[in-house]
Amino acid sequence: MRDTATMTDERIASHELPSPVEFWHWSGKHYGQRSQDWLEVQTLGGNVNLALLLHRLDQDGIPVSLLDLKPALTHTEAVLVPWRALRASAKSRLDEAEYQSMLAHELELERLQQGVLLQTLRALPLRRGESHNLLNYLSLLGAQQGPLRDLIC
């Protein structure tokens, strides 16, 4: 879903994209400010890390095709989704330390997923232009209205 008519000739160099550490910190800040709103993406069947990346790209004026990022999710979701379900189902049977250990592992899987998304992004021929990445994603999820609509650039 890239609108090539509104793109410029200014190609994005990989060093202009956030590093995995930078994006992890940026995501933590933005997620922390509105965690329940971001979790709504997950409730709708979407991916929070992808939504955060799309929001960041919108802020930077970098349109991207959701189809180009899908392979990054396929592999990481195969591990992350079952782990998340296991942690949630085991919560009542675990003591606090065990639960926190499972949660810490899940966060590392989230960080890994962000890294794979960024690696996939770096391999794409990106250009600056009018960007509606988050809007397109929320629309695909059926979120015509909702708590994150005010974030759309």
Side-chain angles (χ1 to χ4, degrees):
M1 288 191 176
R2 196 178 329 181
D3 185 0
T4 54
T6 60
M7 294 174 67
T8 68
D9 286 336
E10 184 186 350
R11 189 175 170 105
I12 306 298
S14 63
H15 74 272
E16 295 178 76
L17 297 171
S19 71
V21 171
E22 178 189 350
F23 184 60
W24 179 253
H25 291 295
W26 181 93
S27 295
K29 176 184 172 197
H30 287 271
Y31 178 87
Q33 292 170 347
R34 300 177 62 171
S35 60
Q36 291 307 310
D37 294 343
W38 288 108
L39 283 175
E40 181 66 20
V41 170
Q42 191 170 305
T43 301
L44 294 168
N47 181 282
V48 175
N49 285 322
L50 177 59
L52 285 162
L53 179 59
L54 296 174
H55 180 48
R56 172 68 186 259
L57 293 172
D58 283 344
Q59 289 182 337
D60 293 342
I62 303 172
V64 67
S65 168
L66 295 173
L67 293 175
D68 289 339
L69 295 174
K70 188 172 171 72
L73 293 178
T74 303
H75 300 297
T76 55
E77 288 286 89
V79 176
L80 187 54
V81 170
W83 183 264
R84 189 179 292 131
L86 176 65
R87 178 190 52 78
S89 68
K91 184 176 183 175
S92 64
R93 297 183 304 270
L94 298 173
D95 65 36
E96 186 61 23
E98 292 169 323
Y99 180 75
Q100 289 303 317
S101 177
M102 287 188 80
L103 188 58
H105 184 68
E106 185 176 328
L107 287 175
E108 284 304 312
L109 292 173
E110 297 275 3
R111 185 187 284 235
L112 172 68
Q113 183 175 68
Q114 284 190 353
V116 172
L117 281 165
L118 287 169
Q119 183 179 24
T120 302
L121 189 67
R122 288 180 193 294
L124 300 175
L126 301 172
R127 299 194 181 285
R128 296 217 185 270
E130 192 173 329
S131 179
H132 302 287
N133 300 313
L134 186 58
L135 171 63
N136 293 340
Y137 190 52
L138 293 175
S139 295
L140 282 174
L141 296 175
Q144 278 67 29
Q145 287 94 26
L148 294 175
R149 294 305 246 183
D150 66 303
L151 293 177
I152 295 169
C153 297

